Amino acid sequence: MADQNKKGVITLEEYIIQAQNKFPGATGELSQLLRDIGLAAKIISREVNKAGITNILGEDGSTNVHGESVKKLDLFADEQLISALNRSEITCMVISEENDGIVELDNDGGKYIVYLDPLDGSSNIDVNVSVGSIFSIYMREHPGSDKLSETEALQPGIKQVAAGYVLYGSSTMLAYTTGLGVSVFTLDPSIGEFILSDDDLKIPEHGTIYSVNEGSYHSWNQGLKQYVKYCQIDDPETERPYKARYIGSMVADVHRTLITGGIFIYPDSSFYPSGKLRLMYECNPLSFVIEQAGGMAIDGGGRILEIEPVSIHQQTPIYIGSAKNVLKVKEFLDNYASESITA
Ligand code: FDP
């Protein structure tokens, strides 16, 4: 960071170009793709910020593929991201929470496949609570093959070439990784640029915040119930009781976890036997970021990034955050593994 201070502020665009220049063989396509996402994020951020003063707030009356009501801003964010990716013609297909099947872009020879959650946490939009966009980028395994298919998009998270999120909070932040650490940018609205705020963000090894929707306590497995009790027990040596924080917007909850340490959990339960959150465009990208920051992300058993996907919209339980917290919850899950979920 010292060198960076001497050079003054660095914008997302400059940073991406500098990073690309470190790899002499790089074609610049991935850099272009990240810049496209950065541009769409600025446009979405502008709309999110004025949502309360325009009639863009509210539901558009339709439901998405998961039966959830679609807000106008979800659609706006989806359109902005997809059209930004279409413009530079390096992405062949997009899979988005808002679309049932794959979305084929104009360049079917494009190298990249992009997963999007255009506006995560959308039930928070109407109450002015932070929401986010999530992206996950893969290389096409058989470029040039005739037909684009869903099967080609089913790659495990460890194959992501880049992933990240944009958080529309009290300021708009963009965090991404290409597998070389986590870089974080803050949007300066006065100049309309994302400015580098951290070029190698690390998550604390241990944190004292647990984040889970405790309203669903009775639907959880025994291991999680016991872990949450553990978090609440007074023990100054282990800095307990921990604090409970739950925004209900995964990007915001994971971003807080990344900064302060601790754990964010969305488990399997009797309500959601496979968990609620989506593997391909929520859990994989955020797990890639958290792992690159030194944290861990598991589905209760193994690493999220190693799950072999079977469908583009599949769900998974997730336990994500500081390594020590994730290892501790795993201990509880393992100890109570024989006890099935009872509502
Ligand atoms: P939302 O339904 O508002 O889009 O992705 C789904 C998600 O939000 C996550 O962002 C959030 O963490 C979770 O659902 C909240 O679910 P609960 O209301 O069940 O806690």
Side-chain angles (χ1 to χ4, degrees), residues 48 97 117-134 165-169 211-213 245-257 264-266 276-277 282 286 318 320:
V48 168
E97 187 186 28
D117 185 349
L119 211 62
D120 178 67
S122 50
S123 54
N124 281 317
I125 296 170
D126 289 350
V127 290
N128 202 7
V129 168
S130 302
V131 289
S133 301
I134 312 176
Y165 63 83
V166 185
L167 174 64
Y168 311 103
S211 182
V212 61
N213 183 347
R245 295 282 185 274
Y246 187 73
I247 298 166
S249 190
M250 188 189 190
V251 175
D253 279 312
V254 170
H255 180 73
R256 183 203 53 248
T257 307
F264 169 79
I265 300 171
Y266 209 109
K276 176 186 178 190
L277 302 179
E282 294 183 312
L286 297 181
I318 186 165
I320 182 169

Side-chain angles (χ1 to χ4, degrees), residues 15 161-164 175-185 198-202 258 288-294:
Y15 184 83
V161 292
Y176 80 91
T177 181
T178 54
L180 299 168
V182 178
S183 309
V184 185
F185 300 81
D198 203 316
D199 63 355
D200 190 18
L201 184 64
K202 293 293 172 209
L258 175 60
F288 191 20
V289 170
I290 289 287
E291 281 202 6
Q292 283 296 313

Side-chain angles (χ1 to χ4, degrees), residues 40-303:
K42 286 189 218 172
I43 298 171
I44 298 166
S45 175
R46 188 192 62 201
E47 290 307 304
V48 168
N49 284 336
K50 66 182 189 194
I53 50 169
T54 67
N55 69 354
I56 206 154
L57 262 180
E59 298 179 7
D60 84 342
S62 62
T63 52
N64 68 13
V65 289
H66 317 299
E68 299 157 344
S69 59
V70 173
K71 309 275 175 173
K72 284 184 191 172
L73 266 176
D74 296 34
L75 292 179
F76 179 82
D78 194 47
E79 279 165 20
Q80 288 305 319
L81 283 158
I82 292 179
S83 70
L85 293 170
N86 207 17
R87 263 195 307 271
S88 53
E89 301 196 348
I90 45 191
T91 304
C92 60
M93 68 169 134
V94 168
I95 294 99
S96 149
E97 187 186 28
E98 301 304 334
N99 298 283
D100 197 354
I102 60 172
V103 179
E104 294 190 24
L105 300 191
D106 294 341
N107 181 11
D108 57 7
K111 265 202 244 168
Y112 293 100
I113 298 171
V114 180
Y115 279 89
L116 296 173
D117 185 349
L119 211 62
D120 178 67
S122 50
S123 54
N124 281 317
I125 296 170
D126 289 350
V127 290
N128 202 7
V129 168
S130 302
V131 289
S133 301
I134 312 176
F135 57 92
S136 162
I137 304 171
Y138 292 86
M139 290 274 272
R140 217 181 148 186
E141 288 190 316
H142 309 290
S145 60
D146 299 348
K147 185 116 183 64
L148 294 172
S149 71
E150 205 170 295
T151 323
E152 253 193 289
L154 293 174
Q155 302 182 36
I158 39 170
K159 294 210 170 156
Q160 293 170 103
V161 292
Y165 63 83
V166 185
L167 174 64
Y168 311 103
S170 48
S171 58
T172 295
M173 299 190 97
L174 184 152
Y176 80 91
T177 181
T178 54
L180 299 168
V182 178
S183 309
V184 185
F185 300 81
T186 307
L187 184 62
D188 180 341
S190 65
I191 55 168
E193 294 283 0
F194 278 108
I195 303 296
L196 182 66
S197 14
D198 203 316
D199 63 355
D200 190 18
L201 184 64
K202 293 293 172 209
I203 183 170
E205 211 186 349
H206 177 253
T208 55
I209 293 179
Y210 73 98
S211 182
V212 61
N213 183 347
E214 273 188 87
S216 308
Y217 179 89
H218 292 289
S219 69
W220 297 344
N221 62 65
Q222 204 40 240
L224 179 57
K225 286 179 178 170
Q226 295 302 324
Y227 173 70
V228 165
K229 270 193 196 152
Y230 161 88
C231 293
Q232 295 167 344
I233 288 168
D234 197 0
D235 176 10
E237 247 179 58
T238 49
E239 298 173 85
R240 287 178 293 149
Y242 295 164
K243 286 182 178 148
R245 295 282 185 274
Y246 187 73
I247 298 166
S249 190
M250 188 189 190
V251 175
D253 279 312
V254 170
H255 180 73
R256 183 203 53 248
T257 307
L258 175 60
I259 306 296
T260 64
I263 189 162
F264 169 79
I265 300 171
Y266 209 109
D268 51 337
S269 65
S270 54
F271 293 154
Y272 294 111
S274 309
K276 176 186 178 190
L277 302 179
R278 310 284 156 174
L279 173 65
M280 302 304 287
Y281 41 82
E282 294 183 312
C283 298
N284 269 339
L286 297 181
S287 299
F288 191 20
V289 170
I290 289 287
E291 281 202 6
Q292 283 296 313
M296 286 180 71
I298 60 169
D299 64 358
R303 203 172 157 211

